[in-house]
Amino acid sequence: MKSIKKTLFIALLVLLGYSANSQDIQYFRQAGFDGLNVFETKKSNDVEFKKLKIKVGGDFAIQFQGLDHSNDMNNLTAIGSNVNLPTANLNFDVQLADGVRMHLRTYLSSKHHNETWVKGGYIQIDKLNFIKEDFWKGMMDIATIRVGVDQLNYGDAHFRRSDNAMAIYNPFVGNYLMDSFTVEPFIEFVFQPKDFILVAGISNGLLNPTVDKVVTPWGQSTIVGEKDLKATFYGKLGIDKQISESLRVRFTGSFINEPGFGNGNHLYNGDRAGSRYYNLFNYNNNGNLVEGGDFAGRFNPGFNKNFSYQFNPFIKYNNFELFGIYEVSKGSKAEGNNEGKFTQFGTEVIYRFGTNNQFYLGGRFNSVKGNRDYASGANQPNTQKINRTNFGAGWFMTKNILMKFEMMNQSYNSDMGAWSPNAWTPAVLSGADVSGYVLEAVISF
């Protein structure tokens, strides 16, 4: 025990000795107000590297939720209004060398995991001076390399979403219905010549990467036969241009191809933190409580083999911001099935005001529509539809403290006809509706 305490004490002294603020980290997105509307980190840099620096940061979020829900079966339990369990992140950002930094995020507490565990991390390389001074300088002036086990740079919505307690970039409480966010081993190349963005990445498609084995019920390991494990490829192409002092325009198109039935189903269920809305769709089953789950309120197409693409416009004109999503996901659960397809549409408008733009008002509309895959010869499943509307307001009390308030409504269509498979599984989602308000406080530094 003494040796452990001594080790922790020494580690604390080391951290304090190398501690840095965010201005000491190169090619870095600020945590807080100064990080708003930042997507890929730009290649401009005015931070001089002198020695190894460690920035220890954190995120904290807590909600007061006042939501209610109903469905066609009239069997949902009352939610009530109260404070949700707070969530927290611990972040390490380390400047390892000139143009080389590391990011590591740990979920101290999340909705899906109350215990502490590492979410992921990566190394970002913007210079190759560790090989030789100005090595490939012409290329590295526009190129960035990211390697690690972390979120993949597919689409632009993940730059504005809440990552567990890191909710300060999100003007609303919830993320999008089809929340494309997965943490996998990857290597990614980003090129930013002038105002253009080009991203090319590859992943092994595994959410929990490990050497394959199967553990039998009696504890013995058996060798796994050949699996349908294929590499995941993704990319992005776009433009981000400051046209004038008052007008910025960004437009990107992204794709991701997950062709393996054994490792291609993580794009919309790779977030292990849980939904931002709590206790949705708990229901009474003959006197027994059945919980809707930690991810209730989100939608996962459930394709094991998946191909998705996403278009994202972003326009900032003076104090107005517009961000949008048009996304299509198609695929199947099993070989030989007819493909299913879902289309997501989302748009949000934000107006910022105040002496330092510390206040904002906003609205978001988000919808998903489509049908699941189905076996050859079977009837095509009913169309599924979800709509969500959010109206919100926020106040940056400081650059690192945000108070949000939102009103939301989310509705599911009813099953349409007994001749074909039900539209919703579980059936409690048939005609379901959620509405109410959420107040959220966020601290990020």
Side-chain angles (χ1 to χ4, degrees):
M1 179 62 71
K2 289 184 178 180
S3 62
I4 294 176
K5 290 182 178 179
K6 183 177 179 180
T7 302
L8 292 174
F9 180 71
I10 293 174
L12 178 61
L13 290 179
V14 171
L15 289 176
L16 292 174
Y18 285 101
S19 62
N21 59 43
S22 55
Q23 282 71 36
D24 294 325
I25 306 296
Q26 299 176 334
Y27 309 99
F28 180 71
R29 184 183 187 182
Q30 306 293 330
F33 183 86
D34 291 336
L36 294 179
N37 300 327
V38 174
F39 297 88
E40 293 83 10
T41 54
K42 295 298 184 181
K43 293 300 298 185
S44 57
N45 173 58
D46 57 2
V47 178
E48 180 183 0
F49 175 78
K50 296 180 179 179
K51 64 178 182 178
L52 184 146
K53 289 284 187 181
I54 300 174
K55 177 185 180 296
V56 181
D59 308 300
F60 305 93
I62 186 172
Q63 303 93 20
F64 185 94
Q65 178 178 294
L67 298 178
D68 197 7
H69 55 186
S70 61
N71 67 354
D72 287 345
M73 300 175 68
N74 196 30
N75 65 342
L76 298 180
T77 62
I79 301 178
S81 300
N82 215 320
V83 174
N84 293 323
L85 179 71
T87 55
N89 300 343
L90 174 64
N91 306 312
F92 288 93
D93 291 282
V94 185
Q95 192 70 51
L96 298 168
D98 190 16
V100 181
R101 68 175 179 88
M102 182 202 79
H103 170 76
L104 176 68
R105 173 161 293 166
T106 297
Y107 290 164
L108 298 177
S109 176
S110 66
K111 179 181 179 183
H112 188 53
H113 285 273
N114 294 335
E115 73 278 10
T116 297
W117 54 285
V118 175
K119 170 232 174 179
Y122 60 86
I123 288 180
Q124 178 171 315
I125 302 173
D126 286 279
K127 295 180 181 179
L128 296 175
N129 290 353
F130 58 89
I131 298 176
K132 182 182 177 182
E133 187 71 23
D134 291 337
F135 187 76
W136 281 7
K137 184 179 185 302
M139 175 63 72
M140 297 309 294
D141 282 344
I142 63 170
T144 298
I145 305 169
R146 288 202 316 141
V147 183
V149 181
D150 206 80
Q151 62 198 65
L152 309 183
N153 187 4
Y154 160 73
D156 284 351
H158 68 92
F159 291 110
R160 299 171 68 88
R161 74 185 295 278
S162 296
D163 183 10
N164 196 38
M166 169 50 89
I168 206 161
Y169 303 137
N170 187 349
F172 303 96
V173 175
N175 295 319
Y176 282 90
L177 290 167
M178 259 178 22
D179 189 12
S180 53
F181 179 90
T182 179
V183 176
E184 302 173 8
F186 72 95
I187 180 169
E188 177 183 293
F189 301 90
V190 182
F191 301 93
Q192 299 183 77
K194 296 185 177 180
D195 299 315
F196 295 95
I197 306 110
L198 173 63
V199 177
I202 182 173
S203 164
N204 70 355
L206 293 173
L207 186 64
N208 294 307
T210 185
V211 176
D212 287 327
K213 69 178 181 179
V214 170
V215 179
T216 61
W218 49 90
Q220 294 177 324
S221 297
T222 60
I223 299 174
V224 172
E226 183 177 353
K227 277 188 172 183
D228 185 23
L229 301 179
K230 295 184 175 68
T232 292
F233 294 93
Y234 61 97
K236 179 187 295 186
L237 180 64
I239 186 170
D240 190 339
K241 186 174 180 62
Q242 191 72 43
I243 295 177
S244 66
E245 184 177 350
S246 59
L247 178 62
R248 175 187 173 189
V249 175
R250 176 184 170 99
F251 184 82
T252 63
S254 305
F255 80 92
I256 185 167
N257 184 32
E258 302 174 301
F261 280 102
N263 64 334
N265 63 340
H266 300 309
L267 180 61
Y268 301 103
N269 72 346
D271 173 27
R272 291 163 287 178
S275 167
R276 302 301 294 168
Y277 303 115
Y278 286 63
N279 291 344
L280 299 186
F281 309 130
N282 293 346
Y283 65 96
N284 181 355
N285 182 25
N286 296 321
N288 297 314
L289 174 66
V290 180
E291 295 187 358
D294 290 338
F295 300 91
R298 293 165 44 164
F299 180 75
N300 177 13
F303 303 138
N304 290 331
K305 178 181 179 181
N306 177 73
F307 179 82
S308 295
Y309 58 88
Q310 182 179 134
F311 294 101
N312 301 110
F314 172 73
I315 300 173
K316 185 178 186 305
Y317 180 71
N318 289 326
N319 294 347
F320 284 94
E321 300 168 11
L322 181 146
F323 179 79
I325 287 181
Y326 177 81
E327 182 173 22
V328 173
S329 173
K330 55 184 178 179
S332 58
K333 289 185 178 180
E335 193 77 49
N337 278 10
N338 294 298
E339 280 194 342
K341 178 182 176 181
F342 288 93
T343 300
Q344 172 168 239
F345 173 79
T347 183
E348 62 184 56
V349 178
I350 307 295
Y351 175 68
R352 302 186 187 275
F353 60 99
T355 305
N356 299 304
N357 283 345
Q358 69 270 36
F359 304 104
Y360 68 82
L361 298 171
R364 175 196 284 171
F365 176 75
N366 186 199
S367 67
V368 172
K369 179 180 179 180
N371 63 270
R372 299 192 184 275
D373 63 314
Y374 56 102
S376 180
N379 291 324
Q380 181 173 336
N382 292 332
T383 298
Q384 297 175 280
K385 299 178 184 178
I386 315 173
N387 290 329
R388 182 196 288 165
T389 304
N390 304 79
F391 294 101
W395 173 30
F396 278 89
M397 299 171 62
T398 73
K399 288 189 175 184
N400 302 96
I401 304 174
L402 171 63
M403 296 291 296
K404 310 179 197 177
F405 176 81
E406 77 164 26
M407 303 289 295
M408 67 87 74
N409 176 262
Q410 182 168 320
S411 59
Y412 298 70
N413 67 317
S414 299
D415 291 349
M416 299 181 298
W419 59 269
S420 63
N422 285 335
W424 294 106
T425 302
V428 294
L429 293 178
S430 176
D433 184 89
V434 183
S435 61
Y437 67 93
V438 184
L439 178 68
E440 183 173 52
V442 184
I443 300 174
S444 290
F445 58 90

